[in-house]
Amino acid sequence: MKMLYDVIPYWGEEPDEQTQMQMAACERTADRVAFMADHHLGYAVPVGGVVAYREHISPSGVGYDIACGNKAVRLDADADEVRAKIDVIMDDVFSALEFGVGRRNQESVDHELFDDTAWKLESVAKLKEMARKQLGTIGSGNHYVDFFVDEEDRVWVGVHFGSRGLGHKTATWFLRKAGATDAIHAQPAMLHVESQLGQEYIEAMQLAGRYAYAGRDWVCARVAKILGAKIVEEVHNHHNFAWKEEHWGETLWVVRKGATPAFPGQLGFVGGSMAEEAVILKGKEAPSPEGRVEQQMALYSTVHGAGRVLSRSRARGKVNKRTGEVLRRPEVTSDMLRQSVAEAGVTLRGAGVDESPHCYKRLPEVLEEHAETVEIVHRLKPIGVAMAGPEIFDPYKD
């Protein structure tokens, strides 16, 4: 752990200038802030950022993809059989599930969630039917359905996505009500937790959280059904959310944007790039005073992934759509992407160059920065990856 300006703890490499500026703006109005080692620039609040308030909550900090998170399930499937049939399995997954922006599930999903009284809130009342149709869709950007094998050659499925259009439209509603500016370096919107708008945001956010959990549950169960397998173990967590917690002897609203809760004994699923290991990790009972201080300074948080080193626009390059003129050459090509997944033995469906392993930090190096506070329980080697295709445009992919 190191410090920026003597007040902002960070892990990993020193954040770049733009990301530092974002967190400095957050720190001016927050009570506690911290950078996890996978930090990079976000909207108003950095990804990999933890921002805590005594009396406020920040829709900017939670972000547009409310309750984005990960779920990993271990199946009773035979690893050799899955490897032998991985091409067919990935075709079946890519056909049965919906990847992309604004998609509707091909299957009708009924869930007790839709009887929740929170749907009466003004902010979400008109979104219920859209949410019902989208439950169990995966989205775009870095959202995925992956197959892994662990160190004992057991099969796992991991998924990463959030509350879909419900979260995006809910966040947009509250950000407008709060008078927020839609800009990278906008001052984070803050709502007092005792205000009417703050109370409604908390209720709507928690509804989106239950919705995201339901969606990830459904997708994992659907994939297990495709394999004819049973789920025998699961790990499930949000990493774009706000929780009311006790830290430093006081009650704080802890906003984690691209950060995984990691209290002692708490499990989390953290993915790397599509060609590298993911992990199941666990918060440590810190054995040393230094470790306990690190846990406190991180507000018992850790990374949610490897973290980007290349922006999407740098990876893809830029072309004038009208003239075809190349305005910026791509830094990652399709051949580079294909070679990296082939060398890793991964069967890929979908994905564009902006999700290539070349765009990400190395997860083992990132996790090493948090070695005092988290331990690795399982290492998961990817064998199949499914994501939205490169033709899908999503303006909010962080």
Side-chain angles (χ1 to χ4, degrees):
M1 180 187 71
K2 301 169 189 165
M3 299 292 286
L4 285 172
Y5 319 123
D6 296 325
V7 291
I8 303 176
Y10 72 94
W11 285 257
E13 301 173 351
E14 183 173 308
D16 64 47
E17 184 179 357
Q18 295 294 306
T19 309
Q20 287 190 35
M21 286 173 56
Q22 274 196 336
M23 190 60 96
C26 296
E27 192 274 332
R28 284 193 284 272
T29 53
D31 294 291
R32 296 275 177 181
V33 297
F35 275 121
M36 302 302 100
D38 56 341
H39 53 69
H40 61 86
L41 195 66
Y43 282 85
V45 176
V47 180
V50 182
V51 183
Y53 305 89
R54 290 188 187 92
E55 298 180 342
H56 291 85
I57 194 165
S58 173
S60 305
V62 174
Y64 284 98
D65 196 358
I66 299 172
C68 187
N70 290 338
K71 183 175 185 181
V73 296
R74 183 165 63 86
L75 305 179
D76 65 356
D78 181 87
D80 288 336
E81 290 183 11
V82 171
R83 277 189 286 260
K85 300 176 181 177
I86 193 65
D87 278 302
V88 173
I89 290 169
M90 297 311 297
D91 285 342
D92 289 346
V93 167
F94 209 58
S95 173
L97 302 177
E98 285 293 333
F99 297 82
V101 179
R103 299 300 179 91
R104 297 179 176 182
N105 199 333
Q106 301 171 35
E107 302 177 37
S108 179
V109 182
D110 194 19
H111 196 282
E112 61 185 10
L113 173 82
F114 296 108
D115 297 325
D116 201 301
T117 58
W119 291 106
K120 296 178 181 179
L121 294 171
E122 181 185 357
S123 53
V124 299
K126 295 180 180 179
L127 306 179
K128 184 175 179 179
E129 288 310 307
M130 175 205 67
R132 190 192 299 272
K133 292 172 182 175
Q134 285 194 339
L135 186 68
T137 62
I138 289 92
S140 64
N142 58 356
H143 296 158
Y144 57 72
V145 176
D146 288 0
F147 286 84
F148 304 94
V149 290
D150 69 11
E151 64 283 343
E152 296 181 35
D153 209 31
R154 300 177 300 183
V155 177
W156 292 74
V157 172
V159 302
H160 171 214
F161 61 93
S163 51
R164 312 294 296 111
L166 170 64
H168 187 280
K169 292 180 184 296
T170 299
T172 300
W173 191 92
F174 280 99
L175 289 168
R176 286 175 179 165
K177 287 287 186 180
T181 304
D182 184 15
I184 290 288
H185 287 292
Q187 182 67 33
M190 295 168 56
L191 304 174
H192 197 285
V193 292
E194 297 299 331
S195 69
Q196 182 177 344
L197 196 59
Q199 287 289 302
E200 181 163 346
Y201 178 76
I202 291 168
E203 191 173 355
M205 176 193 72
Q206 291 173 342
L207 175 68
R210 294 190 292 276
Y211 179 84
Y213 260 73
R216 294 190 291 262
D217 287 344
W218 186 88
V219 169
C220 287
R222 185 67 179 87
V223 174
K225 184 178 178 181
I226 289 171
L227 267 68
K230 293 180 181 179
I231 295 172
V232 294
E233 183 178 352
E234 60 182 58
V235 179
H236 202 171
N237 48 268
H238 298 322
H239 51 235
N240 283 11
F241 209 65
W243 291 264
K244 190 178 183 180
E245 299 173 355
E246 297 296 319
H247 295 275
W248 302 94
E250 60 184 346
T251 301
L252 298 174
W253 279 94
V254 180
V255 179
R256 294 183 178 91
K257 185 175 190 178
T260 304
F263 288 88
Q266 184 173 13
L267 294 172
F269 166 48
V270 173
S273 76
M274 65 175 71
E276 296 169 305
E277 287 185 343
V279 297
I280 305 296
L281 52 74
K282 181 171 68 173
K284 279 185 178 181
E285 290 284 356
S288 67
E290 293 80 11
R292 287 191 288 274
V293 168
E294 285 208 20
Q295 286 179 316
Q296 292 172 326
M297 296 296 284
L299 296 166
Y300 293 88
S301 309
T302 192
V303 299
H304 81 307
R308 296 192 72 90
V309 292
L310 270 186
S311 69
R312 298 182 184 281
S313 60
R314 283 179 58 192
R316 289 191 307 260
K318 189 174 182 180
V319 176
N320 185 311
K321 292 182 179 179
R322 184 175 58 83
T323 66
E325 178 188 1
V326 176
L327 304 176
R328 184 191 302 120
R329 292 190 178 279
E331 296 186 37
V332 182
T333 65
S334 297
D335 285 344
M336 292 166 64
L337 169 59
R338 284 193 291 268
Q339 181 178 351
S340 64
V341 297
E343 290 175 352
V346 172
T347 299
L348 179 64
R349 296 291 182 269
V353 296
D354 57 354
E355 282 302 321
S356 173
H358 304 83
C359 301
Y360 287 90
K361 301 174 186 177
R362 306 282 70 83
L363 183 60
E365 296 173 8
V366 169
L367 288 170
E368 182 60 30
E369 296 290 336
H370 292 270
E372 283 287 324
T373 59
V374 297
E375 60 182 297
I376 308 305
V377 179
H378 297 298
R379 298 185 184 275
L380 310 180
K381 182 184 183 299
I383 57 174
V385 173
M387 309 178 81
E391 73 283 355
I392 301 297
F393 174 72
D394 180 355
Y396 299 108
K397 287 184 177 178
D398 0 272

